[in-house]
Amino acid sequence: MHDPAAFRSIHKTRYNAEPAIFVGPGRVNLIGEHTDYAEGFVMPAAINFACLAGISPRNDGKIVIYSENYGEERTFDSAALPPHGSKHWSDYPMGVVSILAGEGHKFPGFSLSLWGDVPLGSGLSSSAAIEVATALAVLSVVGASYPGPVLARLCQRAENEFVGANCGIMDQFISLNGKENHSLLLDCRSLEFKLAPIPDHVALVIANTMVKHSVAGGDYKTRRAESEAACAVIASHRPGVPFLRDATLEDLDKWGHEMAPKSLMRARHVISENLRTVACCDALLRGEMAEVGRLMAEAHTSYSKDFEGSCVEADAMVALAQDLPGLIGARLTGGGFGGCTVNLVEQAQAPAFAEALGARYAAQFNIVPEIHICHASGGAHRLE
Ligand code: GLA
C-alpha cells in the first residue's frame, strides 16, 4: 500500500492545504462471477490494495482533481458539472461527484488527489476503489454520509450512467463493506450479506496474467446481453423470472432449445454459479476447504467453457497452479478476459507457491506475472 505520509505531502505541496485522507480498497472475488447483475450471489473480499483520496476545500469554486498515477490534473467548475464522461480517468471521480450532486448535494470547490496501488485493468476493481474513496472524500466536504449499501448503489450508478460501464453492484459494495479477514456472501438482490471468515492458515494469492481487462470493453456487454436474452426466453414461459437469479437448471432443460446456443451456455454458467457460490460460503463456514477448492475449480471451468470469459493466459495460470503444494483452489477472478487469478493457498506454503507459479508462467509465456500474497481487509474508511 502506498505510504499515506508521502501522499499527504504530495497533496500539501500541490494545493498548499492539509488534506483529509480516505481509503477505498480493491477487491478479489472468491466465487460468483457475472451473477451480480442477474441479482444473484457473489463472495468477494476487500484486499490490501487501495486507492487513497486526499481532499481539501478551495474558495474559487473550482473542482481540481489530480491523479498521481497518471501525473495529470483536471479542473472543473463546481457550478457547471459535466453531464457525462469523456473517456478519461477523471470520469470515475467526476461520475461520483455528478451522481451525488444529482442527489441534491451542493459541492463547493475542492482539490482532490488520488493515488492507487490497485493494478489498473487487472480485474481487482481499481475503478470501484477510486469511486468509493472519492465518494467518502467529497461527502466529507458537505458533511453528509450514507449507509454502505446506499452509497454502493450511488457509486455503481456513477459507473453505469456517467462512465458508461454496465457493471453490477459487487465491486462498490465490497469496497465499502469489506471486513478484515473475511469474505462476504452478498445477495445482490436484497443487499443482505453474511460474513464468512477466511481461516488464519489460508492465504489469498493473487496472480496477475498481465493481460489487460476492461469492464467498459465490448465482451462484458456482449456476455451480459447474451445471458439476459436467455432469461427473456425463460420469462416468456415463466413470468416469475425477471432475472437469472430466479431461474433453474430445469428451466434450461425445458426451454434451452429456444435460446441461441451462446445464450444457453451463458445462462448455464450464471445459474450454476449462483448455486456454487452459496454452497462455497457454506463450505467455508464449515471449514471444509477441500470442498471450497472443488467449487472454485468447477467455477473456473464454467467461467471458461460456458461463459467463455477467460483467456489462454488465465486458463494456464489456473492449470499451472494445480499440482503446486499448498493449493486449495484457483480460478480467474473479476470481469474476465484477462486480469488475475485468485488462489487460496495454505499460508505456510504461500511464498513458495507464489514463486513456483510465477516461474512456470514466465517459462510458458515469456511474461513475468505479478503475484501478490494478500489478505482480506476492511472496507473504505477515513485515515486518521
Ligand atoms: C466486474 C463488474 C462486476 C461483476 C464482475 C463479474 O468486476 O464490475 O459488477 O459483474 O465484473 O462478476
PDB file of all heavy atoms in Angstrom, residues 134-173:
ATOM      1  N   THR A 134     -13.389   8.425  -3.493  1.00  0.00           N
ATOM      2  CA  THR A 134     -13.864   9.759  -3.878  1.00  0.00           C
ATOM      3  C   THR A 134     -15.171  10.093  -3.171  1.00  0.00           C
ATOM      4  O   THR A 134     -15.350  11.211  -2.660  1.00  0.00           O
ATOM      5  CB  THR A 134     -14.094   9.832  -5.408  1.00  0.00           C
ATOM      6  OG1 THR A 134     -12.860   9.576  -6.066  1.00  0.00           O
ATOM      7  CG2 THR A 134     -14.625  11.190  -5.819  1.00  0.00           C
ATOM      8  N   ALA A 135     -16.077   9.112  -3.137  1.00  0.00           N
ATOM      9  CA  ALA A 135     -17.392   9.363  -2.525  1.00  0.00           C
ATOM     10  C   ALA A 135     -17.224   9.775  -1.058  1.00  0.00           C
ATOM     11  O   ALA A 135     -17.804  10.775  -0.611  1.00  0.00           O
ATOM     12  CB  ALA A 135     -18.280   8.128  -2.639  1.00  0.00           C
ATOM     13  N   LEU A 136     -16.408   9.027  -0.317  1.00  0.00           N
ATOM     14  CA  LEU A 136     -16.235   9.380   1.099  1.00  0.00           C
ATOM     15  C   LEU A 136     -15.590  10.758   1.228  1.00  0.00           C
ATOM     16  O   LEU A 136     -15.958  11.559   2.095  1.00  0.00           O
ATOM     17  CB  LEU A 136     -15.368   8.333   1.818  1.00  0.00           C
ATOM     18  CG  LEU A 136     -15.959   6.931   1.965  1.00  0.00           C
ATOM     19  CD1 LEU A 136     -15.080   6.089   2.881  1.00  0.00           C
ATOM     20  CD2 LEU A 136     -17.388   6.947   2.498  1.00  0.00           C
ATOM     21  N   ALA A 137     -14.620  11.023   0.344  1.00  0.00           N
ATOM     22  CA  ALA A 137     -13.916  12.310   0.417  1.00  0.00           C
ATOM     23  C   ALA A 137     -14.863  13.479   0.148  1.00  0.00           C
ATOM     24  O   ALA A 137     -14.931  14.430   0.935  1.00  0.00           O
ATOM     25  CB  ALA A 137     -12.751  12.321  -0.576  1.00  0.00           C
ATOM     26  N   VAL A 138     -15.615  13.410  -0.944  1.00  0.00           N
ATOM     27  CA  VAL A 138     -16.445  14.574  -1.305  1.00  0.00           C
ATOM     28  C   VAL A 138     -17.641  14.712  -0.356  1.00  0.00           C
ATOM     29  O   VAL A 138     -18.084  15.833  -0.072  1.00  0.00           O
ATOM     30  CB  VAL A 138     -16.895  14.570  -2.790  1.00  0.00           C
ATOM     31  CG1 VAL A 138     -15.680  14.551  -3.706  1.00  0.00           C
ATOM     32  CG2 VAL A 138     -17.830  13.424  -3.118  1.00  0.00           C
ATOM     33  N   LEU A 139     -18.121  13.603   0.169  1.00  0.00           N
ATOM     34  CA  LEU A 139     -19.225  13.701   1.140  1.00  0.00           C
ATOM     35  C   LEU A 139     -18.737  14.376   2.420  1.00  0.00           C
ATOM     36  O   LEU A 139     -19.489  15.094   3.077  1.00  0.00           O
ATOM     37  CB  LEU A 139     -19.808  12.319   1.449  1.00  0.00           C
ATOM     38  CG  LEU A 139     -20.686  11.726   0.334  1.00  0.00           C
ATOM     39  CD1 LEU A 139     -21.038  10.272   0.634  1.00  0.00           C
ATOM     40  CD2 LEU A 139     -21.978  12.552   0.142  1.00  0.00           C
ATOM     41  N   SER A 140     -17.456  14.156   2.753  1.00  0.00           N
ATOM     42  CA  SER A 140     -16.926  14.793   3.971  1.00  0.00           C
ATOM     43  C   SER A 140     -16.932  16.319   3.828  1.00  0.00           C
ATOM     44  O   SER A 140     -17.112  17.040   4.804  1.00  0.00           O
ATOM     45  CB  SER A 140     -15.511  14.284   4.275  1.00  0.00           C
ATOM     46  OG  SER A 140     -14.561  14.914   3.431  1.00  0.00           O
ATOM     47  N   VAL A 141     -16.763  16.790   2.600  1.00  0.00           N
ATOM     48  CA  VAL A 141     -16.740  18.235   2.358  1.00  0.00           C
ATOM     49  C   VAL A 141     -18.104  18.868   2.648  1.00  0.00           C
ATOM     50  O   VAL A 141     -18.196  20.003   3.107  1.00  0.00           O
ATOM     51  CB  VAL A 141     -16.307  18.514   0.895  1.00  0.00           C
ATOM     52  CG1 VAL A 141     -16.532  19.956   0.501  1.00  0.00           C
ATOM     53  CG2 VAL A 141     -14.851  18.139   0.697  1.00  0.00           C
ATOM     54  N   VAL A 142     -19.176  18.112   2.365  1.00  0.00           N
ATOM     55  CA  VAL A 142     -20.514  18.669   2.624  1.00  0.00           C
ATOM     56  C   VAL A 142     -21.109  18.096   3.916  1.00  0.00           C
ATOM     57  O   VAL A 142     -22.295  18.303   4.211  1.00  0.00           O
ATOM     58  CB  VAL A 142     -21.480  18.423   1.428  1.00  0.00           C
ATOM     59  CG1 VAL A 142     -21.046  19.252   0.227  1.00  0.00           C
ATOM     60  CG2 VAL A 142     -21.573  16.947   1.058  1.00  0.00           C
ATOM     61  N   GLY A 143     -20.319  17.348   4.667  1.00  0.00           N
ATOM     62  CA  GLY A 143     -20.770  16.830   5.961  1.00  0.00           C
ATOM     63  C   GLY A 143     -21.914  15.827   5.849  1.00  0.00           C
ATOM     64  O   GLY A 143     -22.786  15.775   6.706  1.00  0.00           O
ATOM     65  N   ALA A 144     -21.907  15.035   4.756  1.00  0.00           N
ATOM     66  CA  ALA A 144     -23.004  14.069   4.573  1.00  0.00           C
ATOM     67  C   ALA A 144     -22.460  12.642   4.626  1.00  0.00           C
ATOM     68  O   ALA A 144     -21.264  12.407   4.452  1.00  0.00           O
ATOM     69  CB  ALA A 144     -23.669  14.304   3.218  1.00  0.00           C
ATOM     70  N   SER A 145     -23.360  11.696   4.881  1.00  0.00           N
ATOM     71  CA  SER A 145     -22.963  10.284   4.821  1.00  0.00           C
ATOM     72  C   SER A 145     -24.175   9.442   4.440  1.00  0.00           C
ATOM     73  O   SER A 145     -25.316   9.897   4.537  1.00  0.00           O
ATOM     74  CB  SER A 145     -22.403   9.827   6.170  1.00  0.00           C
ATOM     75  OG  SER A 145     -23.437   9.856   7.131  1.00  0.00           O
ATOM     76  N   TYR A 146     -23.909   8.237   3.995  1.00  0.00           N
ATOM     77  CA  TYR A 146     -24.983   7.299   3.617  1.00  0.00           C
ATOM     78  C   TYR A 146     -24.655   5.942   4.228  1.00  0.00           C
ATOM     79  O   TYR A 146     -23.479   5.602   4.395  1.00  0.00           O
ATOM     80  CB  TYR A 146     -25.015   7.105   2.096  1.00  0.00           C
ATOM     81  CG  TYR A 146     -25.534   8.267   1.310  1.00  0.00           C
ATOM     82  CD1 TYR A 146     -24.660   9.209   0.777  1.00  0.00           C
ATOM     83  CD2 TYR A 146     -26.897   8.412   1.073  1.00  0.00           C
ATOM     84  CE1 TYR A 146     -25.138  10.277   0.027  1.00  0.00           C
ATOM     85  CE2 TYR A 146     -27.379   9.472   0.322  1.00  0.00           C
ATOM     86  CZ  TYR A 146     -26.496  10.402  -0.194  1.00  0.00           C
ATOM     87  OH  TYR A 146     -26.967  11.439  -0.937  1.00  0.00           O
ATOM     88  N   PRO A 147     -25.681   5.106   4.458  1.00  0.00           N
ATOM     89  CA  PRO A 147     -25.390   3.720   4.812  1.00  0.00           C
ATOM     90  C   PRO A 147     -24.626   3.056   3.648  1.00  0.00           C
ATOM     91  O   PRO A 147     -24.865   3.399   2.478  1.00  0.00           O
ATOM     92  CB  PRO A 147     -26.784   3.082   4.956  1.00  0.00           C
ATOM     93  CG  PRO A 147     -27.744   4.220   5.059  1.00  0.00           C
ATOM     94  CD  PRO A 147     -27.110   5.407   4.381  1.00  0.00           C
ATOM     95  N   GLY A 148     -23.728   2.114   3.984  1.00  0.00           N
ATOM     96  CA  GLY A 148     -22.886   1.466   2.966  1.00  0.00           C
ATOM     97  C   GLY A 148     -23.636   0.985   1.735  1.00  0.00           C
ATOM     98  O   GLY A 148     -23.244   1.305   0.600  1.00  0.00           O
ATOM     99  N   PRO A 149     -24.726   0.209   1.897  1.00  0.00           N
ATOM    100  CA  PRO A 149     -25.412  -0.311   0.711  1.00  0.00           C
ATOM    101  C   PRO A 149     -25.968   0.805  -0.194  1.00  0.00           C
ATOM    102  O   PRO A 149     -25.947   0.676  -1.424  1.00  0.00           O
ATOM    103  CB  PRO A 149     -26.555  -1.152   1.304  1.00  0.00           C
ATOM    104  CG  PRO A 149     -26.046  -1.569   2.656  1.00  0.00           C
ATOM    105  CD  PRO A 149     -25.241  -0.394   3.148  1.00  0.00           C
ATOM    106  N   VAL A 150     -26.418   1.897   0.404  1.00  0.00           N
ATOM    107  CA  VAL A 150     -26.977   3.002  -0.396  1.00  0.00           C
ATOM    108  C   VAL A 150     -25.857   3.691  -1.174  1.00  0.00           C
ATOM    109  O   VAL A 150     -25.975   3.970  -2.377  1.00  0.00           O
ATOM    110  CB  VAL A 150     -27.702   4.024   0.523  1.00  0.00           C
ATOM    111  CG1 VAL A 150     -28.244   5.195  -0.286  1.00  0.00           C
ATOM    112  CG2 VAL A 150     -28.810   3.331   1.312  1.00  0.00           C
ATOM    113  N   LEU A 151     -24.736   3.913  -0.491  1.00  0.00           N
ATOM    114  CA  LEU A 151     -23.613   4.568  -1.166  1.00  0.00           C
ATOM    115  C   LEU A 151     -23.045   3.667  -2.272  1.00  0.00           C
ATOM    116  O   LEU A 151     -22.634   4.151  -3.329  1.00  0.00           O
ATOM    117  CB  LEU A 151     -22.523   4.944  -0.149  1.00  0.00           C
ATOM    118  CG  LEU A 151     -21.419   5.853  -0.684  1.00  0.00           C
ATOM    119  CD1 LEU A 151     -21.994   7.124  -1.310  1.00  0.00           C
ATOM    120  CD2 LEU A 151     -20.438   6.220   0.430  1.00  0.00           C
ATOM    121  N   ALA A 152     -23.079   2.348  -2.032  1.00  0.00           N
ATOM    122  CA  ALA A 152     -22.604   1.421  -3.066  1.00  0.00           C
ATOM    123  C   ALA A 152     -23.445   1.587  -4.330  1.00  0.00           C
ATOM    124  O   ALA A 152     -22.915   1.651  -5.449  1.00  0.00           O
ATOM    125  CB  ALA A 152     -22.676  -0.017  -2.563  1.00  0.00           C
ATOM    126  N   ARG A 153     -24.761   1.682  -4.189  1.00  0.00           N
ATOM    127  CA  ARG A 153     -25.645   1.881  -5.355  1.00  0.00           C
ATOM    128  C   ARG A 153     -25.324   3.191  -6.067  1.00  0.00           C
ATOM    129  O   ARG A 153     -25.330   3.263  -7.295  1.00  0.00           O
ATOM    130  CB  ARG A 153     -27.111   1.918  -4.917  1.00  0.00           C
ATOM    131  CG  ARG A 153     -27.729   0.565  -4.689  1.00  0.00           C
ATOM    132  CD  ARG A 153     -28.226  -0.071  -5.991  1.00  0.00           C
ATOM    133  NE  ARG A 153     -28.873  -1.344  -5.698  1.00  0.00           N
ATOM    134  CZ  ARG A 153     -28.585  -2.505  -6.292  1.00  0.00           C
ATOM    135  NH1 ARG A 153     -27.679  -2.566  -7.250  1.00  0.00           N
ATOM    136  NH2 ARG A 153     -29.210  -3.600  -5.954  1.00  0.00           N
ATOM    137  N   LEU A 154     -25.051   4.256  -5.293  1.00  0.00           N
ATOM    138  CA  LEU A 154     -24.757   5.553  -5.918  1.00  0.00           C
ATOM    139  C   LEU A 154     -23.451   5.471  -6.713  1.00  0.00           C
ATOM    140  O   LEU A 154     -23.350   6.002  -7.819  1.00  0.00           O
ATOM    141  CB  LEU A 154     -24.696   6.657  -4.859  1.00  0.00           C
ATOM    142  CG  LEU A 154     -26.049   6.966  -4.182  1.00  0.00           C
ATOM    143  CD1 LEU A 154     -25.856   7.857  -2.949  1.00  0.00           C
ATOM    144  CD2 LEU A 154     -27.006   7.650  -5.170  1.00  0.00           C
ATOM    145  N   CYS A 155     -22.449   4.789  -6.147  1.00  0.00           N
ATOM    146  CA  CYS A 155     -21.168   4.646  -6.868  1.00  0.00           C
ATOM    147  C   CYS A 155     -21.350   3.771  -8.104  1.00  0.00           C
ATOM    148  O   CYS A 155     -20.754   4.022  -9.153  1.00  0.00           O
ATOM    149  CB  CYS A 155     -20.100   4.056  -5.953  1.00  0.00           C
ATOM    150  SG  CYS A 155     -19.570   5.186  -4.659  1.00  0.00           S
ATOM    151  N   GLN A 156     -22.181   2.748  -7.988  1.00  0.00           N
ATOM    152  CA  GLN A 156     -22.474   1.904  -9.155  1.00  0.00           C
ATOM    153  C   GLN A 156     -23.135   2.753 -10.241  1.00  0.00           C
ATOM    154  O   GLN A 156     -22.808   2.648 -11.427  1.00  0.00           O
ATOM    155  CB  GLN A 156     -23.389   0.743  -8.762  1.00  0.00           C
ATOM    156  CG  GLN A 156     -23.731  -0.179  -9.937  1.00  0.00           C
ATOM    157  CD  GLN A 156     -24.947  -1.065  -9.675  1.00  0.00           C
ATOM    158  OE1 GLN A 156     -25.660  -0.890  -8.677  1.00  0.00           O
ATOM    159  NE2 GLN A 156     -25.174  -2.012 -10.562  1.00  0.00           N
ATOM    160  N   ARG A 157     -24.058   3.627  -9.822  1.00  0.00           N
ATOM    161  CA  ARG A 157     -24.719   4.498 -10.809  1.00  0.00           C
ATOM    162  C   ARG A 157     -23.703   5.407 -11.504  1.00  0.00           C
ATOM    163  O   ARG A 157     -23.828   5.712 -12.691  1.00  0.00           O
ATOM    164  CB  ARG A 157     -25.810   5.328 -10.138  1.00  0.00           C
ATOM    165  CG  ARG A 157     -27.114   4.547  -9.938  1.00  0.00           C
ATOM    166  CD  ARG A 157     -28.194   5.444  -9.355  1.00  0.00           C
ATOM    167  NE  ARG A 157     -28.360   6.665 -10.118  1.00  0.00           N
ATOM    168  CZ  ARG A 157     -28.840   7.816  -9.617  1.00  0.00           C
ATOM    169  NH1 ARG A 157     -29.219   7.876  -8.348  1.00  0.00           N
ATOM    170  NH2 ARG A 157     -28.956   8.871 -10.385  1.00  0.00           N
ATOM    171  N   ALA A 158     -22.706   5.875 -10.741  1.00  0.00           N
ATOM    172  CA  ALA A 158     -21.670   6.729 -11.360  1.00  0.00           C
ATOM    173  C   ALA A 158     -21.017   5.967 -12.507  1.00  0.00           C
ATOM    174  O   ALA A 158     -20.776   6.515 -13.587  1.00  0.00           O
ATOM    175  CB  ALA A 158     -20.631   7.135 -10.320  1.00  0.00           C
ATOM    176  N   GLU A 159     -20.734   4.696 -12.270  1.00  0.00           N
ATOM    177  CA  GLU A 159     -20.066   3.911 -13.308  1.00  0.00           C
ATOM    178  C   GLU A 159     -21.030   3.582 -14.461  1.00  0.00           C
ATOM    179  O   GLU A 159     -20.670   3.664 -15.626  1.00  0.00           O
ATOM    180  CB  GLU A 159     -19.472   2.627 -12.698  1.00  0.00           C
ATOM    181  CG  GLU A 159     -18.563   1.936 -13.666  1.00  0.00           C
ATOM    182  CD  GLU A 159     -17.429   1.156 -13.026  1.00  0.00           C
ATOM    183  OE1 GLU A 159     -17.105   1.382 -11.840  1.00  0.00           O
ATOM    184  OE2 GLU A 159     -16.870   0.316 -13.733  1.00  0.00           O
ATOM    185  N   ASN A 160     -22.281   3.233 -14.120  1.00  0.00           N
ATOM    186  CA  ASN A 160     -23.261   2.895 -15.162  1.00  0.00           C
ATOM    187  C   ASN A 160     -23.634   4.121 -15.990  1.00  0.00           C
ATOM    188  O   ASN A 160     -23.636   4.087 -17.216  1.00  0.00           O
ATOM    189  CB  ASN A 160     -24.555   2.337 -14.559  1.00  0.00           C
ATOM    190  CG  ASN A 160     -24.386   0.990 -13.864  1.00  0.00           C
ATOM    191  OD1 ASN A 160     -25.249   0.556 -13.125  1.00  0.00           O
ATOM    192  ND2 ASN A 160     -23.274   0.306 -14.078  1.00  0.00           N
ATOM    193  N   GLU A 161     -23.970   5.205 -15.304  1.00  0.00           N
ATOM    194  CA  GLU A 161     -24.584   6.342 -16.001  1.00  0.00           C
ATOM    195  C   GLU A 161     -23.575   7.369 -16.500  1.00  0.00           C
ATOM    196  O   GLU A 161     -23.809   8.032 -17.495  1.00  0.00           O
ATOM    197  CB  GLU A 161     -25.611   7.026 -15.072  1.00  0.00           C
ATOM    198  CG  GLU A 161     -26.765   6.098 -14.727  1.00  0.00           C
ATOM    199  CD  GLU A 161     -27.652   6.633 -13.593  1.00  0.00           C
ATOM    200  OE1 GLU A 161     -27.713   7.865 -13.401  1.00  0.00           O
ATOM    201  OE2 GLU A 161     -28.276   5.802 -12.896  1.00  0.00           O
ATOM    202  N   PHE A 162     -22.459   7.542 -15.790  1.00  0.00           N
ATOM    203  CA  PHE A 162     -21.513   8.605 -16.169  1.00  0.00           C
ATOM    204  C   PHE A 162     -20.340   8.037 -16.957  1.00  0.00           C
ATOM    205  O   PHE A 162     -19.994   8.528 -18.022  1.00  0.00           O
ATOM    206  CB  PHE A 162     -21.021   9.323 -14.914  1.00  0.00           C
ATOM    207  CG  PHE A 162     -20.302  10.618 -15.196  1.00  0.00           C
ATOM    208  CD1 PHE A 162     -20.995  11.829 -15.233  1.00  0.00           C
ATOM    209  CD2 PHE A 162     -18.932  10.627 -15.413  1.00  0.00           C
ATOM    210  CE1 PHE A 162     -20.321  13.025 -15.486  1.00  0.00           C
ATOM    211  CE2 PHE A 162     -18.260  11.822 -15.672  1.00  0.00           C
ATOM    212  CZ  PHE A 162     -18.955  13.020 -15.708  1.00  0.00           C
ATOM    213  N   VAL A 163     -19.760   6.962 -16.425  1.00  0.00           N
ATOM    214  CA  VAL A 163     -18.612   6.355 -17.122  1.00  0.00           C
ATOM    215  C   VAL A 163     -19.111   5.563 -18.332  1.00  0.00           C
ATOM    216  O   VAL A 163     -18.450   5.511 -19.370  1.00  0.00           O
ATOM    217  CB  VAL A 163     -17.829   5.417 -16.170  1.00  0.00           C
ATOM    218  CG1 VAL A 163     -16.694   4.714 -16.891  1.00  0.00           C
ATOM    219  CG2 VAL A 163     -17.296   6.193 -14.963  1.00  0.00           C
ATOM    220  N   GLY A 164     -20.313   4.953 -18.168  1.00  0.00           N
ATOM    221  CA  GLY A 164     -20.865   4.176 -19.282  1.00  0.00           C
ATOM    222  C   GLY A 164     -20.451   2.718 -19.254  1.00  0.00           C
ATOM    223  O   GLY A 164     -20.457   2.045 -20.284  1.00  0.00           O
ATOM    224  N   ALA A 165     -20.065   2.198 -18.083  1.00  0.00           N
ATOM    225  CA  ALA A 165     -19.754   0.766 -17.955  1.00  0.00           C
ATOM    226  C   ALA A 165     -20.886   0.121 -17.173  1.00  0.00           C
ATOM    227  O   ALA A 165     -21.231   0.572 -16.079  1.00  0.00           O
ATOM    228  CB  ALA A 165     -18.421   0.570 -17.240  1.00  0.00           C
ATOM    229  N   ASN A 166     -21.438  -0.949 -17.767  1.00  0.00           N
ATOM    230  CA  ASN A 166     -22.673  -1.517 -17.227  1.00  0.00           C
ATOM    231  C   ASN A 166     -22.413  -2.567 -16.141  1.00  0.00           C
ATOM    232  O   ASN A 166     -22.921  -3.674 -16.209  1.00  0.00           O
ATOM    233  CB  ASN A 166     -23.445  -2.148 -18.401  1.00  0.00           C
ATOM    234  CG  ASN A 166     -24.926  -2.032 -18.201  1.00  0.00           C
ATOM    235  OD1 ASN A 166     -25.375  -1.368 -17.265  1.00  0.00           O
ATOM    236  ND2 ASN A 166     -25.689  -2.692 -19.053  1.00  0.00           N
ATOM    237  N   CYS A 167     -21.625  -2.203 -15.141  1.00  0.00           N
ATOM    238  CA  CYS A 167     -21.243  -3.179 -14.109  1.00  0.00           C
ATOM    239  C   CYS A 167     -22.381  -3.403 -13.119  1.00  0.00           C
ATOM    240  O   CYS A 167     -23.343  -2.643 -13.070  1.00  0.00           O
ATOM    241  CB  CYS A 167     -20.014  -2.664 -13.363  1.00  0.00           C
ATOM    242  SG  CYS A 167     -20.339  -1.171 -12.433  1.00  0.00           S
ATOM    243  N   GLY A 168     -22.259  -4.461 -12.334  1.00  0.00           N
ATOM    244  CA  GLY A 168     -23.208  -4.735 -11.256  1.00  0.00           C
ATOM    245  C   GLY A 168     -22.772  -4.042  -9.967  1.00  0.00           C
ATOM    246  O   GLY A 168     -21.954  -3.111  -9.994  1.00  0.00           O
ATOM    247  N   ILE A 169     -23.280  -4.541  -8.842  1.00  0.00           N
ATOM    248  CA  ILE A 169     -23.089  -3.869  -7.549  1.00  0.00           C
ATOM    249  C   ILE A 169     -21.893  -4.409  -6.754  1.00  0.00           C
ATOM    250  O   ILE A 169     -21.454  -3.799  -5.781  1.00  0.00           O
ATOM    251  CB  ILE A 169     -24.382  -4.014  -6.703  1.00  0.00           C
ATOM    252  CG1 ILE A 169     -24.352  -3.191  -5.406  1.00  0.00           C
ATOM    253  CG2 ILE A 169     -24.662  -5.482  -6.337  1.00  0.00           C
ATOM    254  CD1 ILE A 169     -24.505  -1.732  -5.594  1.00  0.00           C
ATOM    255  N   MET A 170     -21.352  -5.563  -7.167  1.00  0.00           N
ATOM    256  CA  MET A 170     -20.371  -6.246  -6.311  1.00  0.00           C
ATOM    257  C   MET A 170     -19.198  -5.369  -5.871  1.00  0.00           C
ATOM    258  O   MET A 170     -18.878  -5.304  -4.675  1.00  0.00           O
ATOM    259  CB  MET A 170     -19.812  -7.476  -7.039  1.00  0.00           C
ATOM    260  CG  MET A 170     -18.564  -8.041  -6.369  1.00  0.00           C
ATOM    261  SD  MET A 170     -18.112  -9.664  -6.930  1.00  0.00           S
ATOM    262  CE  MET A 170     -17.631  -9.399  -8.623  1.00  0.00           C
ATOM    263  N   ASP A 171     -18.538  -4.713  -6.825  1.00  0.00           N
ATOM    264  CA  ASP A 171     -17.250  -4.089  -6.520  1.00  0.00           C
ATOM    265  C   ASP A 171     -17.395  -2.920  -5.549  1.00  0.00           C
ATOM    266  O   ASP A 171     -16.644  -2.794  -4.584  1.00  0.00           O
ATOM    267  CB  ASP A 171     -16.591  -3.608  -7.825  1.00  0.00           C
ATOM    268  CG  ASP A 171     -16.472  -4.732  -8.837  1.00  0.00           C
ATOM    269  OD1 ASP A 171     -16.644  -5.896  -8.448  1.00  0.00           O
ATOM    270  OD2 ASP A 171     -16.215  -4.437 -10.019  1.00  0.00           O
ATOM    271  N   GLN A 172     -18.370  -2.071  -5.822  1.00  0.00           N
ATOM    272  CA  GLN A 172     -18.576  -0.910  -4.953  1.00  0.00           C
ATOM    273  C   GLN A 172     -19.038  -1.373  -3.581  1.00  0.00           C
ATOM    274  O   GLN A 172     -18.658  -0.803  -2.557  1.00  0.00           O
ATOM    275  CB  GLN A 172     -19.614   0.036  -5.573  1.00  0.00           C
ATOM    276  CG  GLN A 172     -19.182   0.694  -6.878  1.00  0.00           C
ATOM    277  CD  GLN A 172     -19.297  -0.235  -8.091  1.00  0.00           C
ATOM    278  OE1 GLN A 172     -19.824  -1.350  -8.013  1.00  0.00           O
ATOM    279  NE2 GLN A 172     -18.797   0.227  -9.222  1.00  0.00           N
ATOM    280  N   PHE A 173     -19.851  -2.437  -3.562  1.00  0.00           N
ATOM    281  CA  PHE A 173     -20.382  -2.918  -2.281  1.00  0.00           C
ATOM    282  C   PHE A 173     -19.270  -3.442  -1.386  1.00  0.00           C
ATOM    283  O   PHE A 173     -19.171  -3.092  -0.213  1.00  0.00           O
ATOM    284  CB  PHE A 173     -21.428  -4.022  -2.514  1.00  0.00           C
ATOM    285  CG  PHE A 173     -22.225  -4.302  -1.275  1.00  0.00           C
ATOM    286  CD1 PHE A 173     -23.441  -3.680  -1.066  1.00  0.00           C
ATOM    287  CD2 PHE A 173     -21.734  -5.150  -0.287  1.00  0.00           C
ATOM    288  CE1 PHE A 173     -24.161  -3.898   0.105  1.00  0.00           C
ATOM    289  CE2 PHE A 173     -22.444  -5.375   0.881  1.00  0.00           C
ATOM    290  CZ  PHE A 173     -23.661  -4.753   1.084  1.00  0.00           C
TER     291      PHE A 173
END
